[in-house]
Amino acid sequence: MNISELFIKRPVMTTLVMTGILVFGLMAYRLLPVSNLPNVDFPTIQVSAGLPGASPETMASAVATPLEKQFSTIAGVDQMTSSSSLGNTSITLQFTLDRSIDAAAQDVQAAISKTLRQLPTGIVPPSYQKVNPADQPIVYYALSSKTLSLPELDEYAETFIAQRLSMVDGVAQVNVYGAAKYAVRIQLDPKALATRSIGIDEVADGVAAGNVNLPTGILWGPHRAYTVQANGQLQDATAFRPLVIAYRNGAPVRLQDLGQVLDDVQDNKSAAWFNGSRAIVLAIQRQPGTNTVAVAARVRTVMQGLKQQLPGSVDLQLRSDRSESIRASLHDVQFTLSLTLALVVLVIFLFLRNLSATIIPSLALPFSLVGTFAVMYALDYSLDNLSMMALTLSVGFVVDDAIVMLENIVRHMEKGERPLQAAFVGSREVGFTILSMTLSLAAVFIPVLFMGGIIGRLFHEFAVTIGAAILVSGVVSLTLTPMLCSRFLKPPREAHHGRWYDASERVYERVLRWYENSLVWVMARRPAALVLSAAILLGTVVLFVVVPKGFLPSEDNSQIFGTTETVQGTSFDDLVRHQEQVMAVLAQDPNVDATMSFLGTGQINQGRVFMQLKPRSQRTMSVDELIRYFNRKLAGIPGIQVFLQNPPPIQIGGVAPRACISSRCRARTGSRCTTTRRGSPPSCASSLTCSTLRATCRSRIRKPRLRSTGTGPGRSGSRPSRSRRRCTTPTGRVRSRRSTRRRISIGS
């Protein structure tokens, strides 16, 4: 059986088939999404609950614990992370990758309903939302003004810009940091209330009764109908002050008599800064599976139009665009792929030294790669670092089959057979061999397809891409290559070769003789060769143990993210002062292009910082070196701890990693323990006192391991304001006396 016979006899059909592969592949290449990593949707649900005024310990024991117990009964929960702060609890449920997020959401809703009776009275009913920890904002914009107030600026940000950006194709949501919606704030005087015997509930009822907007209906006349317009809403603090709350001794008691009425914002405990000035920051997130580069380009185009409609006093600046780093990374991979193609073709030419014989197997490279793009588009894959790496690695594989086919056909032509007959005979002899080579090489990557967890999800696209490239190359080698050999190869003739050919032949013969002599020398010293091989194997094992290990390599995207943290109970004004000190140190560095800072986005004693660095060519240090440098400088600021990190390509789980994290802390109830930091930056302290970690984990089957993680780069002997621990038990049940953040791993 000759698989290639039909394609050799039908060159037009073969040409059309290859043209179809080329056309569909090029069309698919233009439509493929572009991202830094494959799209990995984590089935993750975040549950939030609030109890105003409750301490973190109360939130953990009275709110988080009942919810966790009920959530642990849900099938498919892979990881549960809870974080409790003053008046708030957040629980992140990460399910196994094969769990349907919609079905999991229904189970979570049912679990919340069952737990409502066990929760304290006055609690804000728990709510949940679907989240994807892997999604990060792709574009940041900063909105600031020197003349407009923050509420006026917020009106432009939320109603004019954010709503328009939400309509852009591919945009999932627009987060507004530092939002300052207008509100009237009433600060009551307890003495004034006690003097007039007025309770706070009476004030609240009076404000609600005096600020109404109810439908009043229509007056129908014999000839016309009149709509009654009566707007009782109060718009500012000036209108609220004379509002009558109650009557005492026949005299009205107005709101201004009971305290201060001020123009303010709804949430005055959140703020954002851009280069040291108050601003409103817009963070745009893309929809999963969309083209990051295309979405960012559409957002920038829309923002250019909106910027022209804003007042001249509003300064709108683009502060971060993740698509730029993706484009640069993709450009580097494309250059590497092109260079690899050129080197492979050059090596083929150096050994074959025939132009037509070089072109025929070289055509298998573009056809295999372009055909793979069509397969990637059909499977909803993207152009990312892993898929492009798979194509780069496949370059060395896809040309082998074509060379084997070419060499066998040339061998028959050297025996005197005509090219057409040599193509029939040669392809029949190696057709099954090429088929088995292709399938066996593709089968190497089959185990990667069955890998579980996040590793398997990430490298699934890599395995399929490189396997598709190998299979397409096998098809090209069995169809296009023998057809071209039968039409364009010429029988070998005795001819005078040039100087370059003779020189290359002499070099080849010298290398061959050197290899033969070295082989004879090694065979004469077999014991020494075995000892050397064993030493190399042992050295490989030693290096494998010594070499640092990680999930993904660190990238220099000219960005640094960070988290700031003060002790629990720190006032907002004091937190602002500490945050400004940190930003002042960061903004003075010549490697920093712009800085942004956020407060009120998470815990009440935490903030976030963001630095946009200058391009790598204009910096003296890399991102990792700058992080170590900043850690040393920021360690001298008292009262605040700063955790800087190079933003990871992908975030896994509900808890973001930190720069300085202790590796292991053995804790016992009521005891003090010290742990040594491993692999932390030089600015991190060498030890951490864990005196506050008093926790008890119980399990019916075995005593679990308790891992506690300190919260900062602080100094030895410092008392961390908040602790984080991980307790793994066979049943996934965790109980604690004191905990403000914990993670539960459920499963065997």
Side-chain angles (χ1 to χ4, degrees), residues 191-204:
K191 295 182 179 180
L193 293 175
T195 301
R196 295 169 175 81
S197 300
I198 296 177
I200 296 180
D201 55 342
E202 294 183 63
V203 177

Side-chain angles (χ1 to χ4, degrees), residues 214-525:
L214 299 176
T216 52
I218 301 176
L219 293 178
W220 296 94
H223 302 288
R224 298 189 62 181
Y226 296 90
T227 302
V228 179
Q229 298 179 355
N231 188 357
Q233 280 191 319
L234 306 180
Q235 302 297 329
D236 52 17
T238 304
F240 272 90
R241 291 191 184 103
L243 183 64
V244 177
I245 300 300
Y247 288 87
R248 292 294 183 269
N249 299 324
V253 179
R254 303 185 183 275
L255 188 59
Q256 60 189 4
D257 301 331
L258 301 177
Q260 296 183 354
V261 184
L262 307 173
D263 292 319
D264 206 345
V265 296
Q266 289 185 6
D267 186 5
N268 58 1
K269 296 299 183 291
S270 65
W273 290 265
F274 168 66
N275 286 341
S277 302
R278 287 294 299 270
I280 306 294
V281 178
L282 303 175
I284 295 94
Q285 288 185 339
R286 69 178 180 90
Q287 295 177 356
T290 55
N291 191 328
T292 303
V293 176
V295 173
R298 287 193 289 266
V299 169
R300 298 180 68 166
T301 302
V302 172
M303 291 298 288
Q304 287 295 331
L306 296 179
K307 189 175 183 179
Q308 299 176 0
Q309 304 178 32
L310 293 174
S313 58
V314 177
D315 185 18
L316 180 64
Q317 294 190 21
L318 173 67
R319 284 326 318 155
S320 176
D321 187 355
R322 205 174 70 176
S323 65
E324 295 179 354
S325 61
I326 294 176
R327 280 195 298 264
S329 177
L330 186 62
H331 176 73
D332 292 340
V333 177
Q334 289 174 341
F335 174 77
T336 304
L337 180 59
S338 302
L339 183 61
T340 305
L341 291 172
L343 292 176
V344 169
V345 174
L346 180 60
V347 170
I348 294 174
F349 180 74
L350 289 177
F351 281 91
L352 297 182
R353 287 166 291 184
N354 186 290
L355 184 60
S356 59
T358 301
I359 294 176
I360 291 174
S362 300
L363 289 177
L365 291 173
F367 278 101
S368 300
L369 299 182
V370 172
T372 306
F373 293 142
V375 177
M376 294 172 60
Y377 177 76
L379 297 176
D380 293 330
Y381 289 169
S382 61
L383 286 175
D384 49 66
N385 291 332
L386 289 181
S387 61
M388 295 299 291
M389 181 179 66
L391 294 176
T392 304
L393 294 177
S394 66
V395 171
F397 302 148
V398 300
V399 76
D400 293 344
D401 298 339
I403 292 178
V404 171
M405 177 67 74
L406 174 70
E407 288 289 348
N408 197 54
I409 294 176
V410 171
R411 182 174 64 87
H412 283 278
M413 292 176 61
E414 291 175 349
K415 293 181 179 180
E417 298 180 7
R418 298 182 62 84
L420 183 60
Q421 185 63 25
F424 282 123
V425 178
S427 61
R428 183 175 63 251
E429 291 178 349
V430 299
F432 183 78
T433 302
I434 292 177
L435 181 62
S436 60
M437 288 173 54
T438 302
L439 295 179
S440 61
L441 191 58
V444 174
F445 301 96
I446 291 180
V448 182
L449 299 177
F450 295 96
M451 291 179 61
I454 178 60
I455 303 295
R457 182 65 67 91
L458 276 176
F459 284 91
H460 184 274
E461 184 171 325
F462 170 84
V464 173
T465 301
I466 195 171
I470 294 172
L471 294 177
V472 174
S473 70
V475 173
V476 174
S477 301
L478 292 174
T479 57
L480 181 63
T481 302
M483 188 274 290
L484 294 177
C485 291
S486 65
R487 295 301 190 275
F488 297 100
L489 281 184
K490 297 180 180 180
R493 295 178 299 176
E494 293 293 334
H496 176 70
H497 299 288
R499 295 181 179 179
W500 186 87
Y501 182 92
D502 296 335
S504 62
E505 190 68 20
R506 288 194 296 270
V507 172
Y508 174 74
E509 292 177 355
R510 291 177 183 175
V511 173
L512 184 60
R513 286 196 299 269
W514 176 84
Y515 171 71
E516 292 176 351
N517 295 334
S518 63
L519 186 60
V520 172
W521 186 87
V522 170
M523 296 302 294
R525 299 166 177 81

